[in-house]
Amino acid sequence: MRRIAIAGVAATTAEWLDFYVYTTAAALVLGPLFFPDQNAAVGTIAAFGTLAVGFLARPVGGIVAGHLGDRWGRRPTLVLAMVVMGTATTLIGVLPTHAAVGFIAPVLLVLLRLVQGLGVGAQWAGGALLLTEHAPVRLRGFYGSLGQLGACLGAALANGIFLVLTVLLSDASFRSWGWRIPFLAGFAVVLFGMYVQRRIEETPVFLHLREAKAAHTAPVKRPLVEVLKTHRKSVVQAAGAFLVGNAAFYVLSTGMVDYGSRVLELPRSTVLALVMGAGLVQVVALPFFGWLSDRTGRKKLFLAGTAGMAVWAWPLFLLADTGNRWLLGLGLVVAYVIHASMYGPLAAMFVEMFPAEVRFSGASLGYQIASVVAGGFAPTIMATLVALTGRSWSVSLYLCVLAVITFAAVCTITEVFRRDLYATGTAAAAGATRAAEASGVPRG
């Protein structure tokens, strides 16, 4: 389990690092390089718009990966997602800018961002299932949180890489070629995907499903159709549960970089350091809240975090608007800890909401729908609200409204704390599970 946990965290960190390199670059440099004919605010909104495009592709990636993951396995689907992501990220690193090829540059940028969206849309459920379906039942929340840890580490590392580059390079060098370095490193994700394929075992839950197929008691042939037919309510509940968590993460990790450097006029390196530092605090908090959910249940903890985010959305921006870096840092740290109380138990909660044969499809679809509705457009909405109102309270209100929706969605979820992950929606598969139990195969 230790080897699987380390490999799972490394795989998800590498994948999300590539994804968040783009979001950080969008906040810092992509606007003037690819949309130079706009003023600073409009150029930033346009760059964030390309960020949102990647989120539009995420449900498609989730649907494709859900079918592959439920039919062919969790591990190969995760590796495929990493290869797609790494290839797209590397190609962004060699893209010509608007100054070199005109309108073709933003068109190519949008296309590659779409491919990135497909890759990350395919990745999340694969990483979550890899960890939770291997984990002992009493530590499912803890091990599930390690997949979420990869996303937060990826965001913190992306900010850290750009922080180092802004410190070491002049502004002219950074805008000329320095911003390309993190993207070119995306090739490492491709190599790591190949390593994962060789080193990580398939989950025992999927192996049982494969045995059921061999015994002519196969799982459903079209997992997406089945999950929308019989588990549609769970998909909607999962999407609603992740609305404020996803939006808040991108407001904190991406929107605040732009807001702090462009609106508050703090040094870019200072804002990056504050966001990275607060993100590292979340890295510590996530496993704790995952572990806590193994004791208290997922639902209560999730509801408490949602209410906390609705409240803290207001003092967060009051502290930021002082222009004091230490008060901004305090606001970010508290916000990230509150976010961890939702994000930590998320993987285990989603995995427990769906039976084995459609789990990849159901969990992935719910997660990626929320990523489109809330996450992808959050930095764009934030920048637009600030531009229209001239005040940050509008962003606080935006987060508060999403928190109310999330709270209502989570309230409707039936707690399935420590659910048997081997359970399926068919009697035949249940018989295969009992046979596996008799054979002495350890259960997740």
Side-chain angles (χ1 to χ4, degrees):
M1 192 67 226
R2 184 182 298 110
R3 183 181 70 255
I4 293 168
I6 292 172
V9 171
T12 54
T13 299
E15 179 89 359
W16 286 103
L17 172 60
D18 276 8
F19 193 73
Y20 288 128
V21 158
Y22 187 99
T23 66
T24 306
L28 294 176
V29 74
L30 294 186
L33 289 177
F34 289 87
F35 305 94
D37 297 331
Q38 313 295 334
N39 63 42
V42 176
T44 298
I45 292 172
F48 282 156
T50 64
L51 186 154
V53 164
F55 283 82
L56 293 176
R58 284 175 62 168
V60 179
I63 288 169
V64 174
H67 179 82
L68 296 176
D70 285 327
R71 293 289 297 159
W72 305 109
R74 317 320 193 189
R75 183 182 69 173
T77 306
L78 176 61
V79 173
L80 176 62
M82 295 179 68
V83 171
V84 169
M85 172 63 77
T87 302
T89 304
T90 303
L91 290 175
I92 291 175
V94 297
L95 268 186
T97 64
H98 188 280
V101 295
F103 76 93
I104 296 176
V107 170
L108 293 175
L109 183 67
V110 169
L111 289 176
L112 289 174
R113 182 58 179 174
L114 280 170
V115 177
Q116 275 196 324
L118 291 173
V120 81
Q123 181 274 337
W124 180 81
L129 268 62
L130 184 73
L131 290 165
T132 55
E133 289 187 346
H134 273 292
V137 63
R138 292 186 179 275
L139 290 174
R140 185 180 297 154
F142 171 77
Y143 280 108
S145 72
L146 298 184
Q148 313 301 80
L149 188 68
C152 297
L153 275 172
L157 288 173
N159 283 323
I161 290 170
F162 277 102
L163 172 61
V164 171
L165 290 174
T166 57
V167 171
L168 295 179
L169 301 176
S170 67
D171 188 67
S173 296
F174 176 75
R175 292 180 181 276
S176 175
W177 56 268
W179 66 273
R180 298 180 182 275
I181 295 175
F183 288 98
L184 294 174
F187 185 70
V189 175
V190 177
L191 298 178
F192 189 77
M194 298 176 183
Y195 173 80
V196 169
Q197 175 68 44
R198 296 174 60 86
R199 299 293 296 177
I200 299 181
E201 299 89 351
E202 184 56 84
T203 73
V205 174
F206 181 78
L207 292 177
H208 291 166
L209 288 176
R210 190 165 64 186
E211 290 171 6
K213 180 180 179 180
H216 305 291
T217 56
V220 291
K221 294 183 178 180
R222 294 181 293 174
L224 175 65
V225 174
E226 181 67 18
V227 80
L228 291 177
K229 180 180 178 181
T230 61
H231 303 284
R232 183 168 54 250
K233 179 181 177 182
S234 295
V235 171
V236 174
Q237 288 172 324
F242 193 39
L243 284 181
V244 73
N246 207 15
F249 188 80
Y250 287 98
V251 165
L252 296 172
S253 64
T254 302
M256 196 61 79
V257 172
D258 167 64
Y259 186 76
S261 58
R262 182 174 57 83
V263 179
L264 300 180
E265 297 182 344
L266 291 170
R268 184 170 55 194
S269 59
T270 297
V271 181
L272 284 169
L274 291 173
V275 172
M276 182 185 68
L280 291 175
V281 171
Q282 186 183 33
V283 168
V284 177
L286 274 171
F288 168 75
F289 285 113
W291 171 84
L292 188 61
S293 77
D294 286 322
R295 272 84 187 148
T296 65
R298 328 295 181 201
K299 186 173 177 178
K300 292 179 182 178
L301 188 58
F302 213 98
L303 289 172
T306 303
M309 186 59 70
V311 173
W312 190 251
W314 303 93
L316 167 63
F317 281 95
L318 290 175
L319 292 172
D321 288 343
T322 64
N324 184 293
R325 66 187 66 187
W326 302 113
L327 293 179
L328 172 58
L330 173 63
L332 287 170
V333 167
V334 175
Y336 269 117
V337 171
I338 294 172
H339 185 269
S341 68
M342 295 181 288
Y343 205 45
L346 181 76
M349 186 172 78
F350 276 23
V351 163
E352 290 169 338
M353 290 174 66
F354 298 94
E357 73 272 24
V358 296
R359 182 170 295 135
F360 204 124
S361 296
S364 181
L365 192 58
Y367 188 98
Q368 302 306 341
I369 289 174
S371 75
V372 173
V373 175
F377 291 97
T380 309
I381 291 172
M382 178 179 173
T384 303
L385 288 173
V386 172
L388 291 176
T389 65
R391 298 288 186 275
S392 62
W393 62 262
S394 56
V395 185
S396 300
L397 180 62
Y398 165 62
L399 291 176
C400 196
V401 170
L402 290 180
V404 171
I405 298 172
T406 289
F407 195 92
V410 176
C411 283
T412 67
I413 295 175
T414 301
E415 178 72 272
V416 283
F417 183 38
R418 296 179 179 175
R419 174 181 182 161
D420 177 11
L421 295 189
Y422 286 75
T424 69
T426 66
T433 299
R434 289 193 294 271
E437 289 175 335
S439 70
V441 178
R443 299 172 63 81

